[in-house]
Amino acid sequence: MTHNEKNSPVRVGIVGLGTVGQGFLRLLLTNQDLYRQRLGFPLQLGGVCERNHSILQSLALPSDCLVFSSWEDMVKDPRITLVVELIGGIEPARSLILAAMKSGKSVVTANKALLAQHGEEIFGAAASQGVDLGFEAAVGGGIPILRTLRESLAGDRILKLAGIINGTANYILTRMSREGLEFETVLAEAQRLGYAEADPTFDIDGVDSAHKVAILAMMAFGSPIRLEEIPVEGIRHIKPIDLEFGREFGYVLKLLGIAVDHGDSIDIRVHPSFLPENSLLAEVDGVFNAIELSGQFLGSLLLYGRGAGGDPTATAVMGDVMECARGIQHASRGQVPALGFHVADRVRKSLRPLSAIYSEYYLRFMAQDQPGTLSYLSGVLGERGISIESVIQKGRQSGGSVPVVVTTHRATESQIRNALSVIDASDHVTEKTVVIRIEDVSMEGPLS
Ligand code: HSE
């Protein structure tokens, strides 16, 4: 295990100098005095490892900064005291982190996909090696949600949380809603402006939000979570017409990650949700993120801020690096478990299937504009115990089909799917019905 002489510098090694890596580098080189004052010892740039030579050449690295051509060399080099992994993806990030821990080094990472998929292995390795693992930057960019869960709220039982945790999806939904634009138009614009990744699949299909909500739930509820069991739905299928109808009902659409602890089981999911327009999360627009949660004694809490971007995310990485550096300097590593729960003392709770989830629903039927259609639709819903809250029907359209929008009172997903399997197979509708859940994310209310 790496030990440090009293007040000698902690030397940071960075693997991966992309957007977040460069932001972190700037922060480290700019705020040296601040870190010295806050820590009581120097935090130094020990070395970097980046395969892209043009990136390396574009950076003004200090002359004493080591440049490694392989991460293997960096993690075992005794001149590097702690390792910051910012390459993303599964491999070689996983091997790198495990190797660094095996060398007794604490690790900081922003790698949500890796922790969501291989968290058990990595959290287990941190615990058994007695090193620290910081991953604040993996969820919510610059928003300090994970330390809040792990330390500030450690004394309370977290009951539920809901978050807008993907900036790209939120930017797309915000512009579609404000300007009545189609999904594809805004996505292309987001890519042109550099907000969305060249391959934005994870952002728009909800996968990135699933990675993040899995990490949030692990930390909030102390249960391992199997990523593949989380129901995930993205925003590709969302049409401006539904955002417009939603507005008429007083709703705003957001892609949410939701997690509720029911005691013996957990409800965790990612999907677009209509929220009452006066709720706090409904007002989170553009690339911003927010996470709202409820603690048994605390009541509700909202954290809001920049969920992506090199500089905000770099501050989260730096907070972790400083915490790890203190652990190294004061020989107190591994005091706070990475997840805020001792790995071996956690209890695995089962995930509730989507079919058992209760919600209110927005249903848009493209209905034949003829006598009896409305009574047919309400009949099928009523026979399955689904109570209608309100209905809007718009004027006649070409082709003889008109949008009929129904909002329902609380029903289970299986009641709704059962009704729609009948309706969508009938001659009364011309298209597959659009289904959007309406969430009561009020954190003061009962568990739903
Ligand atoms: N791609 C993510 C987002 C940022 O759009 O929110 C990093 O987590």
Side-chain angles (χ1 to χ4, degrees), residues 112 137-138 140-141 165-169 195 197 203 208 212 287 289 307-309:
K112 59 232 155 155
I165 43 184
N166 186 272
T168 305
Y195 294 154
E197 318 267 339
D203 293 322
D208 179 74
K212 292 169 178 170
V287 292
N289 281 195

Side-chain angles (χ1 to χ4, degrees), residues 266-282:
I266 293 173
D267 162 16
I268 175 167
R269 54 208 155 96
V270 172
H271 52 71
S273 305
F274 273 128
L275 304 176
E277 63 194 354
N278 57 2
S279 60
L280 291 172
L281 289 179

Side-chain angles (χ1 to χ4, degrees), residues 32-41 322 326:
Q32 281 291 303
D33 291 354
L34 177 69
Y35 304 143
R36 178 77 176 78
Q37 286 171 328
R38 287 195 190 269
L39 292 169
F41 57 87
M322 292 169 74
R326 285 193 183 101

